[in-house]
Amino acid sequence: MSNEASIRAAAEAIESAEFLMISAGAGMGVDSGLPDFRGNEGFWNAYPPFKQRGLTFYDMANPRWFSQDPHQAWGFYGHRTNLYAQTEPHAGFKILQRWATACTGGYFVFTSNVDGHFQTSGFDPKRIVECHGSIELLQCSQPCQHQIWQGTDKVAIDDESFRAVDPLPECPSCQQIARPNILMFGDMSWISDHVREQDSTYANWLRNIGYQARLVVIEIGAGTAVPTVRRESEQRIREFNNARLIRINPREPQSPSNQISIASGALDALTKIDELVE
């Protein structure tokens, strides 16, 4: 099926949807101007000092830095926190939000992104699962106790070295270094309470969807390297008899048989579909 035919099929599916699920990976943020960490070169374009040291995204997204070199750890995560806060989500978020609120059965968002841009765009925070956590929430790096709190202070970063400048965020209970409440690679200290609460609400929503209901899953920018989002999307269409998957991905659009694949970036595909949705 051509991209044009897939876009028409996507518009028809959205028009007839009773329930809408939006699943999103890192590719959702690219049109907002957020860096694409796909491959080492994409990461190093965003963080040149790490290229000189041979450090990849997988090296840096590791909790060990908060004990070994907290200024480097917060240089990386503080820069991301500041970047996400000052970046305006692209217009595709508003398109999705309009479709979602028009669905008679409601909607839910499942995303591996930690930037909070769905909430910023007007989506109900109670209808979002952030499966890898949120960069806006903090926890103790130890952790000294099961506690999560809202981050408030902007972290100052040296633009040349991408190292954080004192003061660094601290745990209010033990004054040790705090860290974002994000699931990192090899992470044994992540406190998952917030995500478990979101998962519980999401599971209740799914239980209220009848087996024959018209559920449409719109998946955007979710790759196979970290397949959490893609697996969630495919699990949902296996559970419901009349479910349709719309997979939007410029590099990896392949989807299960009889589903809709669109080889495109997020904003371009959503805009074209929206022109056809009544």
Side-chain angles (χ1 to χ4, degrees):
M1 187 183 295
S2 67
N3 252 20
E4 292 77 10
S6 293
I7 286 168
R8 287 195 298 273
E12 291 170 2
I14 291 165
E15 286 174 354
S16 65
E18 295 174 298
F19 299 85
L20 191 68
M21 175 181 161
I22 298 161
S23 56
M28 181 64 184
V30 171
D31 291 314
S32 300
L34 296 178
D36 181 1
F37 292 160
R38 181 183 173 87
N40 290 339
E41 290 303 324
F43 177 68
W44 288 334
N45 285 338
Y47 296 98
F50 297 152
K51 181 176 183 178
Q52 298 168 10
R53 298 170 59 187
L55 295 171
T56 67
F57 173 76
Y58 297 98
D59 294 326
M60 291 308 305
N62 190 302
R64 66 184 174 85
W65 290 101
F66 288 94
S67 57
Q68 294 181 8
D69 190 346
H71 289 85
Q72 186 66 90
W74 270 110
F76 176 53
Y77 280 104
H79 177 268
R80 290 177 66 190
T81 301
N82 300 342
L83 177 64
Y84 296 157
Q86 67 194 25
T87 299
E88 182 177 353
H90 62 76
F93 283 88
K94 284 296 184 184
I95 292 173
L96 288 170
Q97 201 256 350
R98 181 158 32 83
W99 295 344
T101 54
C103 260
T104 56
Y107 70 89
F108 227 96
V109 175
F110 184 96
T111 180
S112 59
N113 297 337
V114 300
D115 51 33
H117 280 187
F118 279 100
Q119 292 91 324
T120 304
S121 301
F123 285 83
D124 184 349
K126 295 179 180 178
R127 292 182 172 272
I128 300 173
V129 176
E130 298 162 296
C131 64
H132 291 168
S134 170
I135 206 164
E136 297 176 348
L137 300 177
L138 302 181
Q139 65 167 80
C140 180
S141 60
Q142 300 306 305
C144 67
Q145 57 182 298
H146 244 59
Q147 182 181 3
I148 300 170
W149 65 93
Q150 187 74 36
T152 54
D153 297 331
K154 182 177 180 180
V155 180
I157 309 295
D158 181 275
D159 293 334
E160 294 295 322
S161 64
F162 280 94
R163 294 180 66 82
V165 179
D166 287 330
L168 302 181
E170 294 182 349
C171 171
S173 297
C174 70
Q175 284 69 57
Q176 294 295 317
I177 296 296
R179 52 162 275 189
N181 183 233
I182 292 174
L183 178 61
M184 305 176 192
F185 295 105
D187 199 343
M188 301 299 291
S189 59
W190 180 52
I191 299 173
S192 61
D193 295 21
H194 182 64
V195 174
R196 284 207 305 270
E197 290 177 8
Q198 294 177 330
D199 269 330
S200 177
T201 308
Y202 173 48
N204 287 335
W205 180 73
L206 289 171
R207 278 194 289 269
N208 289 325
I209 299 176
Y211 176 69
Q212 298 292 338
R214 294 189 301 276
L215 170 68
V216 173
V217 180
I218 306 176
E219 181 196 281
I220 307 162
T224 57
V226 182
T228 311
V229 172
R230 287 173 80 102
R231 288 176 180 169
E232 184 68 22
S233 301
E234 293 176 11
Q235 175 64 25
R236 299 288 77 85
I237 63 169
R238 285 194 294 268
E239 287 180 354
F240 299 97
N241 194 41
N242 292 317
R244 296 298 304 277
L245 168 63
I246 302 168
R247 175 164 282 161
I248 300 171
N249 193 303
R251 301 185 185 96
E252 299 175 299
Q254 299 82 8
S255 62
S257 61
N258 300 320
Q259 305 305 323
I260 301 168
S261 301
I262 302 175
S264 173
L267 181 57
D268 180 62
L270 293 172
T271 301
K272 289 177 178 176
I273 294 169
D274 194 45
E275 291 172 353
L276 300 177
V277 171
E278 304 209 359

